[in-house]
Amino acid sequence: MTTITRKTAGLVDMQAYVQSHADVISHVTGIDVEIMDSDMVRIAGTGMYAPGVGSSMEQAGEVYKEVMRTHETILVDSPRRHAICARCPDRGNCRERCSLATPIVDGDTLYGVIGLVCFNDADRKRVLNSLDSYTAFISFLADALARKVGDQNRLNRVTRFLDLMLQVVDVPGQGLMLFDESGLLTYCNTPARELFELTPETGMDISAVHRAGQGIYEFEEFEVRAPNGRSHSLQGRLRELDAGPHAKATLFVFELPSRLAQFVGDLSAGGTAADFGNLIGGSQAIRKLKDRAMKVADSNSTVLITGESGTGKELLARAIHQASPRRDFPFIAINCGSIPDTLLESELFGYVSGAFTGASNKGRMGKFELAGGGVIFLDEISSTPLYVQVKLLRVLQERVIVRLGSNRHIHVDVRVIAATNENLQDCIRRNAFREDLYYRLNVIPLDIPPLRERTGDVAILADFFLDKYCALFQKRKPRLRSSLLRMLEGYAWPGNVRELEHVVEYAVNMMPENGSLGLDCLPAQILEAFQETDGTQRRRETPQGVGAVPFPSASVVESLQILEERAIRAAIERYGRSTAGKKQAARALGLSLATLYRKMAAFSL
């Protein structure tokens, strides 16, 4: 059967309903029935026609084509000899003895044809003897079908209009359902249809909507059972509408979980989306880490990310979320070490009105609920108090939470990614972390190596951050000279990538307008790391007191080149960039003017 895209409803959109009409006609008359739609596709059939439902009648439906053309009922009492049958290519194989066909019409719109077909002389005689009765009967059912389709199209038009109006008033994240005075669903907007998987063949009534007896924020909480059997926990409002004695209705408006997360806010920890392209680096360690993370992105398994502070644990968690099927659902991040122990439980699991002293009288959803369908990122998991660890263990085992002050179990569909910069096994030995929780978290361990163990990534990261901050501060991007780069690569980076980013941001801020990025643009802690030797700081005087230049650490081979650049820069800054000033600088440095120009070009001064 060819799938046909329609802007309006047709018989094919209510196939089960049409088939029930065919069954009624056949049962009452004892004669086989087939029903075509306007595209000459058999939508329903009984007897020998039942197996052919869904097939095209384009090549063998001359009688039906004539009915569609004239919009009139047609009787063919002598098949094969009738004028209409002369056009049929299958006329020689026809076994029909008589056929009565009537159009399914609503106004000027034709939806199809009902055909009553006799295959023996007894049935043919019965139909011909009571032709008016048979014609009236199938015409009545054809009208009923036409009205049904017409009503559906009119309802679709109203629905589309209401959907459009709801978009105009900017409530795309709200579900809306309208029930009539008998409790039957008469209208629902697109978000509600999609959430409950409603079709024209399925319906709902008000009995599916149950008050849970609790309130969250300004909303009541409801349990709604969809026709597919799934239960949904929703926050919304149920209102009785009264527009007169014969126009009572009930309106149910609810917030979609994704929009509610935004409404509730507290997504400041959510930040921006990141993918694996944001994990900058070309070292083997980083490539191996990315490969492992991409392999587990499609999984729902719990991930434990370890690494020193500043290595990018949350960035990796976001990349996993963005590469997963959960990418369109929330990523909720919470730093377990930044929230007081007494508040962490309510932050994670939420609470109901009156749960504890100082609690909001409107209640509050926890981070696990806000992350429904998506990912919750638990940073600094080692800081979680033991009594909260017990509840986390239950969530990981059963995917069930209980709000503070409530005894209602709430199922949550959420992936857990935890992170720590501590050794959890050491925490276990100190009785600061539960061993059973550790094994629940450590399903997929991912360790991010510190920057000092992948110095090859320093140049790539520095260039990336240089691009970022030069664009942000609207400065021309300078060339990253090898002397400065070697200094960066020789630094231990206790703050890892985060510290490197801040160093580059500082350097771009300090960079002069000419765009030259020199050693004097680096923050003090970087320079001091190369000035200290055995806990002391030694200096030497340059010619004519140009400036104090520190001796390098004995471990830094390239320090002479660095010192030379610093001395030349100091001389230029002291005497100026005019020709006379450069001549004075050359004399102070003990260089010829030509050599000074050559070295200035080499250092991009």
Side-chain angles (χ1 to χ4, degrees):
M1 177 179 175
T2 304
T3 300
I4 301 162
T5 303
R6 294 178 171 85
K7 294 183 179 179
T8 57
L11 296 177
V12 69
D13 299 302
M14 48 186 66
Q15 195 274 333
Y17 183 80
V18 175
Q19 181 64 52
S20 69
H21 271 59
D23 292 338
V24 167
I25 297 171
S26 181
H27 179 76
V28 171
T29 63
I31 299 171
D32 283 344
V33 176
E34 60 179 342
I35 301 178
M36 306 290 113
D37 71 2
S38 58
D39 295 303
M40 291 298 293
V41 174
R42 184 181 287 137
I43 301 301
T46 65
M48 66 171 292
Y49 295 124
V53 170
S55 61
S56 174
M57 293 296 295
E58 188 67 36
Q59 299 301 317
E62 297 301 326
V63 175
Y64 302 136
K65 291 177 184 177
E66 186 66 17
V67 172
M68 290 181 184
R69 187 182 67 83
T70 64
H71 288 202
E72 298 290 340
T73 299
I74 294 178
L75 171 68
V76 178
D77 57 353
S78 301
R80 295 185 301 279
R81 296 192 300 273
H82 197 282
I84 294 176
C85 299
R87 302 191 296 265
C88 181
D90 199 37
R91 179 179 56 176
N93 299 320
C94 181
R95 298 187 304 159
E96 297 177 5
R97 302 293 296 154
C98 178
S99 64
L100 180 64
T102 194
I104 304 172
V105 182
D106 182 27
D108 294 329
T109 305
L110 183 135
Y111 297 113
V113 178
I114 296 178
L116 197 65
V117 184
C118 304
F119 289 96
N120 58 61
D121 290 334
D123 288 341
R124 176 178 180 274
K125 183 178 181 181
R126 187 154 45 89
V127 169
L128 294 177
N129 287 342
S130 304
L131 182 60
D132 290 343
S133 297
Y134 280 96
T135 301
F137 179 60
I138 64 171
S139 295
F140 173 79
L141 292 179
D143 288 342
L145 276 176
R147 284 194 301 272
K148 180 71 173 180
V149 180
D151 289 345
Q152 185 62 52
N153 279 321
R154 285 184 283 274
L155 177 60
N156 288 347
R157 285 193 294 272
V158 172
T159 298
R160 286 194 296 270
F161 177 75
L162 288 175
D163 285 346
L164 182 61
M165 288 299 99
L166 288 172
Q167 293 177 42
V168 169
V169 296
D170 192 28
V171 284
Q174 283 188 332
L176 187 149
M177 307 179 79
L178 189 64
F179 300 90
D180 64 16
E181 60 183 357
S182 60
L184 295 177
L185 179 65
T186 57
Y187 167 77
C188 65
N189 67 351
T190 299
R193 285 195 298 274
E194 292 177 350
L195 180 65
F196 300 125
E197 298 180 1
L198 297 175
T199 69
E201 303 297 326
T202 58
M204 285 180 64
D205 59 60
I206 195 67
S207 64
V209 182
H210 300 278
R211 282 188 166 93
Q214 295 174 352
I216 295 294
Y217 305 100
E218 299 123 28
F219 308 108
E220 286 186 84
E221 193 162 17
F222 295 87
E223 287 290 334
V224 182
R225 182 166 293 277
N228 59 13
R230 290 186 58 189
S231 183
H232 300 265
S233 180
L234 299 170
Q235 283 72 40
R237 302 178 183 87
L238 196 64
R239 295 287 183 269
E240 299 295 328
L241 306 179
D242 188 352
H246 303 294
K248 297 183 184 298
T250 303
L251 178 67
F252 178 47
V253 180
F254 60 88
E255 300 291 327
L256 293 179
S258 57
R259 184 176 185 268
L260 186 62
Q262 296 174 356
F263 173 83
V264 171
D266 241 352
L267 293 180
S268 55
T272 56
D275 56 28
F276 284 108
N278 294 101
L279 296 175
I280 309 298
S283 63
Q284 183 178 1
I286 286 297
R287 290 199 304 269
K288 184 177 179 181
L289 176 66
K290 284 185 183 180
D291 183 60
R292 290 183 62 198
M294 284 189 285
K295 286 180 179 177
V296 303
D298 285 342
S299 167
N300 284 323
S301 298
T302 303
V303 177
L304 177 62
I305 302 174
T306 55
E308 294 180 6
S309 178
T311 51
K313 296 184 288 294
E314 182 171 340
L315 194 66
L316 178 59
R318 290 183 180 280
I320 293 172
H321 169 251
Q322 192 63 24
S324 76
R326 296 176 178 265
R327 67 180 66 88
D328 296 325
F329 294 90
F331 178 96
I332 303 296
I334 181 169
N335 189 315
C336 301
S338 66
I339 299 174
D341 291 356
T342 53
L343 296 179
L344 182 59
E345 184 179 6
S346 64
E347 283 290 323
L348 290 172
F349 308 116
Y351 59 84
V352 297
S353 176
F356 53 88
T357 302
S360 168
N361 59 7
K362 296 179 180 178
R364 183 172 183 176
M365 294 177 71
K367 294 296 191 290
F368 272 94
E369 284 184 84
L370 289 177
V375 169
I376 185 169
F377 176 63
L378 304 175
D379 201 5
E380 294 190 32
I381 189 68
S382 58
S383 303
T384 309
L386 288 171
Y387 75 94
V388 176
Q389 292 180 30
V390 175
K391 291 199 169 186
L392 281 176
L393 183 64
R394 181 181 184 187
V395 175
L396 291 170
Q397 289 173 334
E398 303 175 15
R399 291 298 191 269
V400 168
I401 66 163
V402 178
R403 296 190 192 125
L404 269 70
S406 172
N407 57 9
R408 188 169 68 91
H409 291 180
I410 300 173
H411 291 271
V412 289
D413 172 23
V414 63
R415 186 180 192 181
V416 176
I417 301 180
T420 179
N421 57 10
E422 290 193 69
N423 187 317
L424 290 183
Q425 292 180 326
D426 287 345
C427 295
I428 293 171
R429 284 190 284 272
R430 300 196 312 267
N431 293 321
F433 202 82
R434 292 180 61 96
E435 187 173 16
D436 49 4
L437 178 58
Y438 168 74
Y439 289 118
R440 280 286 181 181
L441 291 170
N442 198 40
V443 178
I444 299 176
L446 296 174
D447 183 64
I448 306 179
L451 189 55
R452 64 180 173 274
E453 293 181 6
R454 47 188 181 100
T455 54
D457 287 339
V458 171
I460 300 173
L461 286 162
D463 188 67
F464 173 79
F465 293 133
L466 199 58
D467 269 329
K468 174 181 176 180
Y469 289 105
C470 283
L472 183 63
F473 302 143
Q474 297 182 343
K475 291 188 176 184
R476 180 178 63 86
K477 181 185 175 184
R479 180 174 61 87
L480 197 60
R481 294 197 299 276
S482 58
S483 57
L484 187 145
L485 182 59
R486 283 195 292 272
M487 178 176 278
L488 295 179
E489 289 178 337
Y491 182 61
W493 299 112
N496 291 290
V497 179
R498 184 185 295 122
E499 184 183 8
L500 174 58
E501 179 176 3
H502 293 166
V503 165
V504 174
E505 182 180 2
Y506 176 91
V508 174
N509 272 289
M510 296 297 106
M511 187 173 68
E513 290 302 322
N514 64 10
S516 177
L517 188 64
L519 299 179
D520 55 342
C521 296
L522 295 177
Q525 77 268 19
I526 303 293
L527 298 174
E528 289 171 0
F530 289 91
Q531 293 173 0
E532 296 175 0
T533 304
D534 298 328
T536 63
Q537 188 175 44
R538 295 177 291 167
R539 296 176 180 271
R540 69 176 183 183
E541 292 295 320
T542 57
Q544 298 185 23
V546 168
V549 181
F551 276 105
S553 166
S555 64
V556 183
V557 177
E558 70 277 12
S559 59
L560 288 176
Q561 185 179 16
I562 295 171
L563 288 171
E564 185 178 47
E565 178 188 350
R566 286 175 59 82
I568 292 172
R569 181 182 294 278
I572 293 297
E573 289 178 355
R574 177 166 181 171
Y575 296 111
R577 291 183 171 273
S578 66
T579 302
K582 290 174 183 174
K583 286 180 179 179
Q584 285 182 288
R587 283 195 299 272
L589 292 166
L591 302 173
S592 69
L593 185 59
T595 300
L596 176 62
Y597 275 112
R598 178 171 53 79
K599 288 184 177 292
M600 285 178 66
F603 291 129
S604 299
L605 295 176

